[in-house]
Amino acid sequence: MIVLLLGLNTFRHAVGVATIDDTPKRREERLSSHWRILRPEGSGPFPASVLLSGCDGVRDNMTYWAEKFVASGRMALIVDSHTPRGLDQLESWRLVCAGQALPGAERAGDLAVALQTLAEMEDVTDDVVVLGASHGGWTAMEFVSHASSGTIPPGLTAWPAPPEILLEKLTALVLLYPYCGLLNGADKADWPSGLPALMVLAEKDNIVDVDDCLAMADSLRRGGASIETEILIGAGHGFDQRDKSPLSSLNFDSAQRDESEMLVETFLWKTNRKM
């Protein structure tokens, strides 16, 4: 019976059915008391960034990348998708990692709401870079796909703003070791050709399949997407994350994190964006 229920839950996520529907306002209210906003010095206006954590919730790597963005003059908004949903309690986040709760398509609504919140801030420009790690990368990809097709993300009753307007604010995607497997439907719609994206993949990843991501990138390119892939030799999943749970297989490596930072800086420089 348990196996059957898990299978039905996986199917529900695969076809994009959520158990709770939020209005955009309600979603913003749920999230905003838990997300963090870091601002550069000065009065702005500033370009911005949105950071989306992996399936185990916000960890130290989100702060690391946010501080790098802020040091370059870019505001950073770290989205905590877990705490408002109780997924930080009793290691409930493991359900997210197992694909049984909060799939990327549903979480894409969090990103939509975050982008609209930034759009309403007087000290933020229409230049937003999104960095997603693992599940967060999956989420960012699903957002682009849903916004491109106009399909409302599961769990939202409506877009917080016209999806094409939200997409226009998004100027680059950084996808760190994203999940690209069967449940990722990011290639169901053609991405805008003017949105540059970078996948930084880990050669020794034992959690997500690198070949799946390379195949996904090829599929997206055939639809017109501008997406680059880089593979960090010897790196494992979550190489930039020092904070981890007991029994975790993640292996932090500062040299690999530094290498990925150089890749991200080079990518954004080529697209005329600040880190």
Side-chain angles (χ1 to χ4, degrees):
M1 177 61 72
I2 292 177
V3 172
L4 175 61
L5 290 175
L6 290 176
L8 289 173
N9 196 44
T10 300
F11 175 76
R12 175 176 66 82
H13 293 323
V15 298
V17 177
T19 55
I20 298 176
D21 284 333
D22 285 333
T23 64
K25 180 62 176 176
R26 174 58 179 151
R27 181 69 60 88
E28 189 273 337
E29 290 172 349
R30 293 176 66 192
L31 295 174
S32 61
S33 60
H34 297 285
W35 60 36
R36 290 174 58 201
I37 296 178
L38 290 73
R39 284 181 165 84
E41 294 183 0
S43 57
F46 306 107
S49 60
V50 178
L51 296 97
L52 301 166
S53 73
C55 65
D56 55 349
V58 175
R59 302 282 178 160
D60 65 292
N61 57 336
M62 293 292 99
T63 299
Y64 177 85
W65 289 106
E67 289 177 347
K68 292 297 179 181
F69 281 123
V70 170
S72 75
R74 189 176 284 275
M75 180 188 292
L77 188 160
I78 303 175
V79 176
D80 182 349
S81 295
H82 290 60
T83 303
R85 295 176 170 92
L87 294 170
D88 61 328
Q89 301 172 18
L90 301 176
E91 296 205 343
S92 297
W93 54 264
R94 293 188 183 277
L95 293 172
V96 184
C97 297
Q100 300 303 311
L102 193 63
E106 183 175 342
R107 193 180 176 198
D110 292 9
L111 177 52
V113 167
L115 289 171
Q116 179 58 20
T117 297
L118 289 175
E120 294 170 356
M121 294 181 178
E122 294 183 355
D123 60 345
V124 176
T125 69
D126 289 339
D127 173 2
V128 183
V129 171
V130 171
L131 181 146
S134 191
H135 191 286
W138 174 19
T139 296
M141 296 167 73
E142 291 275 14
F143 167 79
V144 175
S145 179
H146 279 72
S148 297
S149 67
T151 306
I152 300 170
L156 276 187
T157 59
W159 286 99
E164 63 273 15
I165 299 299
L166 295 175
L167 267 180
E168 287 177 359
K169 302 178 186 306
L170 193 54
T171 54
L173 288 183
V174 176
L175 311 168
L176 304 180
Y177 41 88
Y179 167 74
C180 303
L182 182 63
L183 295 179
N184 187 332
D187 60 352
K188 292 180 180 178
D190 290 342
W191 287 22
S193 59
L195 174 61
L198 170 68
M199 280 188 186
V200 179
L201 308 174
E203 181 198 24
K204 301 297 184 181
D205 202 318
N206 63 351
I207 294 178
V208 303
D209 193 315
V210 172
D211 288 339
D212 283 348
C213 284
L214 294 175
M216 175 72 76
D218 284 341
S219 176
L220 291 169
R221 290 190 197 102
R222 288 193 295 272
S226 174
I227 183 165
E228 300 179 21
T229 57
E230 296 283 354
I231 300 177
L232 288 184
I233 304 303
H237 196 83
F239 57 80
D240 61 327
Q241 182 176 318
R242 191 189 303 270
D243 176 25
K244 58 185 180 180
S245 64
L247 305 180
S248 171
S249 62
L250 301 186
N251 185 25
F252 171 74
D253 190 303
S254 60
Q256 290 163 349
R257 185 182 66 180
D258 290 346
E259 185 178 353
S260 69
E261 183 183 336
M262 291 180 60
L263 291 172
V264 173
E265 287 181 345
T266 300
F267 164 71
L268 292 177
W269 175 80
K270 289 191 299 184
T271 60
N272 297 315
R273 302 286 177 251
K274 293 181 178 180
M275 168 65 184

